[in-house]
Amino acid sequence: MLRTNQSFLGYVQELYEQQERKENIIVKQYAKGQKLFFQNEKATKVMLIKEGITKCFFTEDNDKEYILEFLGKGEIVGEIEFIRKIVCLCNIEAMTDVTVYAITPDYFGELIKNDLKLNNLLLDVFAERIINTASRASYQQLYTIEHSLGKLLELQSKQEIAMSKEDMASYLGVTVRSLNRAFKSLSE
């Protein structure tokens, strides 16, 4: 439920430290509730989460949100938009205070052309996302809301993050009303 990637984090930390003037990769801070990326807007940097937790979500035409993932240390965002030369597919919002490595597009493009390690890390990330998406889809079909809610509450407790009922419902792909019924069922 919370995605992390220590290998990618180590790789980018190393690149950051090797810079002489710290221009290609900078460290940026985001406060809880602040957006790193806005759906349908152009991304200006590729980012890798150094510290903190974000939520990645779609806002649909009816203003309902659907949370795809919770992203933590070492997760990269904005790379798909850069590679495909498209606007942001979704919103990325800080759920806690977040620190990121922000990579300039020119430098990221240079790395893609010349750095086999980056390309292998990206392939691994893309494969992991496909697996996670398929697993989550089958999980949501095969298990009850109560079961999924239990797992989500476990994550929330382990990570010591507070989630609104709206966020929980958005992640589980249900209405707040259905979520409230699941809470009631769990407490019985």
Side-chain angles (χ1 to χ4, degrees):
M1 289 184 165
L2 174 64
R3 306 291 172 214
T4 60
N5 189 328
Q6 281 304 129
S7 301
F8 222 137
L9 180 59
Y11 167 78
V12 173
Q13 281 176 330
E14 195 175 297
L15 287 177
Y16 176 75
E17 289 165 10
Q18 289 172 359
Q19 297 180 104
E20 286 182 29
R21 295 182 17 208
K22 307 279 190 251
E23 290 178 334
N24 294 320
I25 303 173
I26 60 170
V27 174
K28 289 184 79 171
Q29 309 280 334
Y30 291 88
K32 178 182 176 179
Q34 200 174 6
K35 285 189 180 166
L36 288 70
F37 286 97
F38 294 85
Q39 185 173 323
N40 297 322
E41 291 186 11
K42 186 176 176 14
T44 58
K45 302 245 187 286
V46 174
M47 296 184 196
L48 189 107
I49 300 168
K50 181 180 180 194
E51 281 292 328
I53 299 171
T54 65
K55 66 177 179 178
C56 173
F57 64 98
F58 288 114
T59 303
E60 296 299 333
D61 293 336
N62 62 3
D63 286 332
K64 294 198 187 268
E65 293 178 0
Y66 179 71
I67 298 175
L68 298 167
E69 292 291 347
F70 298 105
L71 306 171
K73 288 181 182 180
E75 287 297 310
I76 188 166
V77 293
E79 79 292 351
I80 292 172
E81 290 81 354
F82 173 82
I83 291 167
R84 302 287 300 166
K85 297 184 180 6
I86 58 174
V87 295
C88 295
L89 295 169
C90 55
N91 298 292
I92 307 286
E93 183 178 307
M95 293 187 69
T96 64
D97 289 344
V98 171
T99 304
V100 301
Y101 289 111
I103 307 166
T104 64
D106 289 344
Y107 185 59
F108 190 73
E110 186 182 311
L111 289 171
I112 284 179
K113 287 180 188 162
N114 301 315
D115 192 332
L116 187 58
K117 187 171 184 179
L118 171 68
N119 286 293
N120 286 330
L121 286 166
L122 285 172
L123 280 173
D124 187 54
V125 165
F126 296 148
E128 184 73 18
R129 287 179 186 167
I130 291 167
I131 291 166
N132 292 337
T133 300
S135 297
R136 183 166 170 211
S138 66
Y139 190 88
Q140 286 181 329
Q141 291 295 314
L142 299 173
Y143 289 94
T144 64
I145 294 170
E146 291 81 7
H147 187 290
S148 298
L149 176 58
K151 293 286 187 190
L152 187 57
L153 291 171
E154 235 176 78
L155 166 73
Q156 188 176 343
S157 175
K158 276 185 194 172
Q159 297 299 321
E160 297 178 358
I161 55 173
M163 289 177 58
S164 68
K165 281 188 176 181
E166 289 79 10
D167 278 353
M168 287 182 196
S170 293
Y171 182 74
L172 297 172
V174 301
T175 64
V176 173
R177 186 175 178 183
S178 294
L179 180 70
N180 285 331
R181 283 195 296 267
F183 269 119
K184 186 176 180 184
S185 179
L186 280 177
S187 67
E188 291 175 348

